[in-house]
Amino acid sequence: MCGIVGLFLKDPSLEPELGTLLAGMLAVMTDRGPDSAGFAVYGAGAEGRIKLTLRGNDFDGVPAALGAGVNFTVRDTHMVLDFAASDEDRVRGWLARNRPDIVVIGAGKRIELYKEVGLPAQVATRFGLAGMSGTHGVGHTRMATESAVTTDGAHPFSTGADQCLVHNGSLSNHRSLRRMLEPQGIRFATDNDSEVAAGYLSWKLREGASLAEALEASLDDLDGFFTFVVGTENGFAVLRDPISCKPAVMAETDRYVAFGSEYRALVGLPGIEQARVFEPEPARVYAWERN
Amino acid sequence: MPVVNLAETAKRELNAQLHALSVDTNETHWRVENPQGQHALAAGLNVPVTVEIAGHAGYYCAGMNSQATVVIEGNAGVGVAENMMSGKVHVKGDASQSAGATAHGGLLVIDGDASARCGISMKGIDIVVKGSIGPMSAFMAQSGTLVVLGDAGDALGDSIYEARLFVRGEVKSLGADCVEKEMRAEHRDLLHKLLEAAGADAGVDEFRRYGSARGLYNFHVDNASAY
């Protein structure tokens, strides 16, 4: 089944509340996905710097070994490193050589990404989602169908800088797409079908497509059921398959655009009573971009 | 008039109270506040009462309805009035997918749009949509009437049996075995009565009728590609 949520803020005064609002939306979607949960938040970023989100059970010695130029924040099983972008090869190289137990699950100027097995409300609490601020975020509650209940299989998936995707549905041609994408240099960390969709979009974006164009192309190349919510550094987009197999509802006001698998997920948002509530049409790309 | 505030009362408690009503109850007019998109609101009613839902409803609102009138003063989620037997369901906003699915009777009125698969496998219900409907509506429709004042999406009436479809606007495409048909006096009469019952402001002559070509009733090898 799975539940997905997304929130894209237009009004900067709401940014300190992004995490609280997203945590509320995620918890309501527990009925649709109690196995595991995850979310990506686009927070503050600075020119010339990069954030890496790491997942592991033991971060002892990592900050000390990486040196003073690398700032770090530990949240439960995840650690976010923040450092000069020019230092990326050195940091990634050190991690690969010395700490193969640690996985890099997200990278970019602004993205931070967290996911774990467990009830959505517990996952949100463990990572302190309610205290996070940002411009936009996406979240996912998983009821596994295509692969095992593991942290690796939890969403969001990130296969490019500041990009992430959450997926409700299942893809039937993910094996052949994977064989097409791997020689193009798109790397996958799991066997999950949704990661292939993320990789496909990363490939299209790398080849110069806009987010809307990449999603448009996916309608021809992806086979299966899907509702996607996608985040980029400045963008937020929604796409449903041509027979709208999986549910979706959206709300838009002057202050935000919100997505939920069900309307219930949106009832805690400010001014929802006055929002324009609508169901996104099948096979139509909905995209918003920050200036 | 009983008022049930779902911010304080559990949905199952509301439904239990409605299910406990006798046919001759004096509590014939109910109001439900703060529905907040909860599922299965006022489902399974079997008495002639009116239930007003003051906001958006979730999945299967007024499902299996018999005799009752259910008014949703907002949008309805997937499967509103699914398998309705009789009575009336009125959605003042938009309806999500599969509105009126498999329903045997009664009247479903949607003031806004209905999305995909409106009236899928309908078996006798009358549906009037004042806006437009999504793709694959009236798929395998068996009986009843679907009236659309706006446009219809792709594959209208795919594999239809005997339901009557009236569309005022544009039909993006017709599904397998669904064709445009002549509008005869009996159809005008039926359409007029339904428009009146739904309080819809439209002239009968603005509509076109669609229905089954009856080519797929029994398997014939020449029709294999149409399935």
Side-chain angles (χ1 to χ4, degrees):
Chain A
M1 194 138 87
C2 300
I4 51 187
V5 297
L7 186 58
F8 178 83
L9 301 180
K10 300 176 183 175
D11 178 355
S13 73
L14 273 178
E15 288 175 15
E17 293 174 53
L18 180 83
T20 306
L21 295 171
L22 202 60
M25 296 164 79
L26 205 60
V28 175
M29 287 294 95
T30 301
D31 299 353
R32 299 189 63 87
D35 296 344
S36 32
F39 54 89
V41 169
Y42 292 82
E47 232 21 85
R49 297 195 64 87
I50 185 171
K51 290 187 200 180
L52 291 188
T53 306
L54 313 181
R55 200 183 76 234
N57 291 316
D58 170 20
F59 297 114
D60 279 356
V62 173
L66 289 174
V70 178
N71 301 326
F72 67 98
T73 312
V74 176
R75 293 176 187 266
D76 199 73
T77 52
H78 289 44
M79 175 190 256
V80 175
L81 302 179
D82 177 348
F83 51 90
S86 56
D87 219 9
E88 184 177 358
D89 287 347
R90 180 184 74 84
V91 172
R92 281 185 183 267
W94 184 89
L95 287 166
R97 276 191 310 277
N98 299 288
R99 295 302 302 271
D101 58 312
I102 291 175
V103 190
V104 179
I105 60 167
K109 200 159 86 182
R110 299 180 53 213
I111 191 172
E112 293 184 20
L113 197 155
Y114 302 86
K115 50 187 177 183
E116 264 304 347
V117 172
L119 286 171
Q122 290 169 359
V123 171
T125 304
R126 283 170 67 180
F127 295 124
L129 171 58
M132 295 183 193
S133 66
T135 53
H136 53 301
V138 302
H140 185 270
T141 65
R142 182 166 187 241
M143 187 179 287
T145 55
E146 194 77 0
S147 54
V149 179
T150 59
T151 309
D152 275 343
H155 301 220
F157 287 103
S158 180
T159 48
D162 279 313
Q163 298 164 13
C164 77
L165 169 141
V166 291
H167 173 208
N168 179 195
S170 62
L171 301 177
S172 33
N173 65 337
H174 62 104
R175 293 275 167 206
S176 54
L177 277 175
R178 183 185 292 260
R179 281 194 294 277
M180 183 274 282
L181 291 167
E182 278 172 341
Q184 306 290 332
I186 302 292
R187 286 198 297 273
F188 297 102
T190 74
D191 286 333
N192 190 282
D193 59 327
S194 308
E195 190 185 17
V196 176
Y200 174 86
L201 296 179
S202 294
W203 172 61
K204 282 284 174 189
L205 291 167
R206 194 189 70 192
E207 300 297 303
S210 67
L211 180 56
E213 288 164 349
L215 285 164
E216 201 70 55
S218 77
L219 285 166
D220 289 330
D221 291 335
L222 300 187
D223 185 15
F225 306 134
F226 52 85
T227 295
F228 295 135
V229 179
V230 181
T232 62
E233 185 189 341
N234 295 306
F236 178 81
V238 170
L239 176 66
R240 304 173 80 193
D241 65 61
I243 62 163
S244 52
C245 190
K246 297 295 176 183
V249 60
M250 301 199 68
E252 184 166 15
T253 72
D254 291 343
R255 305 184 75 194
Y256 59 80
V257 176
F259 176 96
S261 289
E262 298 174 20
Y263 175 75
R264 287 186 305 147
L266 310 181
V267 297
L269 295 174
I272 189 71
E273 297 80 9
Q274 285 77 46
R276 183 173 76 94
V277 176
F278 63 101
E279 183 168 322
E281 290 175 27
R284 178 171 160 191
V285 175
Y286 294 80
W288 288 264
E289 201 89 34
R290 289 176 67 83
N291 299 323
Chain B
M1 177 174 71
V3 177
V4 179
N5 182 354
L6 289 180
E8 295 162 359
T9 305
K11 167 189 65 187
R12 284 175 188 238
E13 173 62 23
L14 163 72
N15 282 345
Q17 287 181 29
L18 293 170
H19 295 162
L21 295 173
S22 60
V23 175
D24 56 355
T25 177
N26 289 325
E27 303 287 15
T28 57
H29 196 151
W30 292 61
R31 190 159 175 83
V32 178
E33 292 177 342
N34 291 307
Q36 303 205 319
Q38 291 197 68
H39 302 324
L41 294 173
L45 301 192
N46 196 22
V47 284
V49 299
T50 296
V51 180
E52 294 168 355
I53 296 174
H56 301 311
Y59 292 5
Y60 309 119
C61 182
M64 303 174 283
N65 185 56
S66 282
Q67 305 185 64
T69 297
V70 178
V71 181
I72 299 146
E73 297 172 355
N75 298 338
V78 174
V80 63
E82 186 199 46
N83 215 63
M84 174 155 66
M85 302 304 285
S86 64
K88 181 178 175 185
V89 175
H90 182 185
V91 181
K92 293 196 169 178
D94 297 332
S96 182
Q97 302 182 23
S98 305
T102 75
H104 292 249
L107 174 65
L108 169 61
V109 178
I110 297 163
D111 289 351
D113 298 330
S115 64
R117 295 177 275 276
C118 179
I120 182 172
S121 196
M122 54 194 279
K123 297 180 174 72
I125 187 179
D126 293 320
I127 304 174
V128 179
V129 181
K130 295 182 186 172
S132 295
I133 58 172
M136 286 166 287
S137 289
F139 176 66
M140 292 189 84
Q142 290 145 59
S143 173
T145 309
L146 172 62
V147 179
V148 184
L149 274 67
D151 302 327
D154 271 320
L156 176 69
D158 194 282
S159 306
I160 187 173
Y161 292 85
E162 284 305 314
R164 288 154 299 205
L165 316 178
F166 298 96
V167 182
R168 183 165 71 163
E170 186 190 333
V171 174
K172 200 167 176 198
S173 67
L174 292 172
D177 214 31
C178 185
V179 293
E180 184 172 352
K181 293 186 148 184
E182 180 195 2
M183 185 86 107
R184 297 194 298 270
E186 68 201 78
H187 304 120
R188 284 197 184 82
D189 190 39
L190 169 74
L191 180 55
H192 178 73
K193 283 179 180 151
L194 278 176
L195 289 169
E196 204 165 63
D201 183 22
V204 166
D205 291 330
E206 299 164 30
F207 289 80
R208 301 168 89 165
R209 181 170 79 99
Y210 304 89
S212 177
R214 303 186 175 112
L216 301 179
Y217 268 39
N218 301 300
F219 181 77
H220 191 283
V221 72
D222 291 345
N223 294 331
S225 64
Y227 286 95

